Amino acid sequence: MDNQYMNYQPKPQNKFVTASLIFGLLAFITSMFLITPFIFGALSILFAILSRNGNEKMSGSAIAGISASVVSMLAAVFMVSMVYYLIFNVPEYREMMNQQYEQMYGESFDEMLEDVQNGTFDPNNLQPK
């Protein structure tokens, strides 16, 4: 009896596709941090590009890795932009930042910014209370 499924051999798994998906998910998980989503996202995109063999289409997992990377990088840029906007344009948040910074370092955030502008700021002298 001939079985047509007997000679079926699965296509070998491309490790670059798996790496792309894993790094894409890591970028998504760490999207609340400043730098890590860009590192993981760049690696995910690189591995997705490397996963293509010749004229083959990119696999769904590689596309998912790229999508997660792009979303996480955009989310990180959005969060940093929102923090910047809130601290420098909304007086209530600026006052909260001043109070927290003063509790931690003994001087306000505004005083630290003045030191930075004057060129007298030394990050080595920042000692938490």
Side-chain angles (χ1 to χ4, degrees):
M1 178 182 209
D2 281 330
N3 190 346
Q4 63 183 351
Y5 298 106
M6 202 79 143
N7 294 330
Y8 174 75
Q9 293 185 356
K11 187 177 176 183
Q13 178 110 12
N14 188 336
K15 295 193 187 316
F16 287 129
V17 171
T18 306
S20 173
L21 184 59
I22 289 171
F23 280 111
L25 292 174
L26 283 173
F28 188 76
I29 290 169
T30 62
S31 63
M32 69 204 82
F33 301 114
L34 182 61
I35 297 174
T36 54
F38 295 101
I39 295 169
F40 291 142
L43 287 172
S44 174
I45 292 169
L46 175 71
F47 287 133
I49 292 169
L50 291 175
S51 72
R52 293 188 60 201
N53 292 330
N55 292 332
E56 282 185 29
K57 288 185 177 179
M58 199 172 288
S59 75
S61 296
I63 292 171
I66 289 175
S67 301
S69 299
V70 169
V71 167
S72 64
M73 288 189 273
L74 289 175
V77 167
F78 175 75
M79 283 189 260
V80 169
S81 300
M82 282 305 290
V83 168
Y84 180 82
Y85 172 78
L86 290 173
I87 289 175
F88 291 105
N89 294 320
V90 178
E92 294 86 19
Y93 284 96
R94 180 64 166 257
E95 186 56 36
M96 285 180 5
M97 183 68 174
N98 279 328
Q99 290 172 356
Q100 289 177 350
Y101 202 85
E102 193 162 350
Q103 285 176 355
M104 289 175 63
Y105 300 111
E107 68 175 344
S108 71
F109 183 70
D110 289 334
E111 292 170 345
M112 185 271 306
L113 285 178
E114 287 176 16
D115 290 345
V116 169
Q117 289 175 347
N118 296 334
T120 59
F121 178 70
D122 184 14
N124 296 325
N125 288 337
L126 282 181
Q127 300 279 329
K129 285 185 171 182

